[in-house]
Amino acid sequence: MDLEKFESLFLSFLFATIISVIVQKVAKAFIGEEDYTKINIKKLTIFLIISTFVYIISIFKIYPNNLYRFGYFIFFVLAIIISLIDYYTMYVYDILVFSGIIIQSVVKILNENVEILVDSVLAGLLCALISYLIVKATNMMGTGDVGVYALCAMTIGFKSSLSLIPGSFLVSAIFLIIRFICGNRDKKIAFPPYIIIAAILNILGF
């Protein structure tokens, strides 16, 4: 391994470690001290560092455009925070979702391509509308999930967003089957993590 690659890996790992600390601090502020103490911090830290490290390396290899890298990275950080909070509280905070939507809009504007911005906005509106109708018709999800769908769709674009909703249901079905096999029969689940996983898999080219 040459020096340049070693430095790149080292900086990515260092950055992943810093992000892990930031994510935990923000999540703790929203979750609350009492509920946060129930979390296995060691396992959470290991998961955050490894997943962030792999994600950073992946987007740098896949996307040459630094603005896209920045947008996808900020999305990942906010997505992890939203997922953690929702998993432990079953609540999605609008401020986090709207912050993500604003950042993604700014990234698209900085690309100086109106088509990309319009594509992103249409993707967000489409997924928000479809998920809202699903919420009203079935009560399978919460209203907070609508915002998460909009954020994810704006991040990945219109074409990719067409598979976001079915993809998220497929991911949730896989995890539910695994949980059932492992003996967890709890019917109440936090759905945003599955939406976010579907979006991240799309970003990484799956």
Side-chain angles (χ1 to χ4, degrees), residues 16-154:
T17 304
I18 294 171
I19 292 303
S20 169
V21 174
I22 294 173
V23 167
Q24 290 184 64
K25 292 288 185 183
V26 175
K28 184 178 180 180
F30 283 93
I31 294 172
E33 186 73 37
E34 184 177 345
D35 289 331
Y36 194 77
T37 55
K38 301 173 184 177
I39 301 173
N40 188 320
I41 303 301
K42 184 177 180 181
K43 288 183 179 180
L44 176 61
T45 302
I46 293 172
F47 168 76
L48 288 174
I49 291 174
I50 293 175
S51 60
T52 306
F53 175 76
V54 171
Y55 186 80
I56 291 172
I57 295 297
S58 298
I59 60 173
F60 266 82
K61 284 186 176 181
I62 298 170
Y63 301 99
N65 186 312
N66 285 328
L67 276 175
Y68 275 102
R69 290 171 176 173
F70 177 75
Y72 288 142
F73 178 73
I74 293 299
F75 166 75
F76 180 81
V77 174
L78 280 173
I80 291 293
I81 293 171
I82 290 169
S83 295
L84 273 175
I85 294 170
D86 187 61
Y87 184 81
Y88 288 104
T89 67
M90 302 297 290
Y91 190 80
V92 176
Y93 286 88
D94 291 339
I95 188 173
L96 295 174
V97 173
F98 287 130
S99 296
I101 289 174
I102 291 170
I103 291 170
Q104 293 305 320
S105 299
V106 171
V107 169
K108 301 298 187 293
I109 291 170
L110 290 175
N111 266 300
E112 299 180 349
N113 190 324
V114 177
E115 289 183 5
I116 292 176
L117 178 61
V118 172
D119 179 270
S120 177
V121 172
L122 288 176
L125 290 174
L126 176 65
C127 279
L129 176 61
I130 293 174
S131 58
Y132 178 78
L133 292 174
I134 293 173
V135 169
K136 290 301 180 182
T138 66
N139 288 321
M140 290 175 61
M141 303 181 295
T143 53
D145 300 344
V146 175
V148 177
Y149 268 120
L151 170 58
C152 292
M154 285 191 70

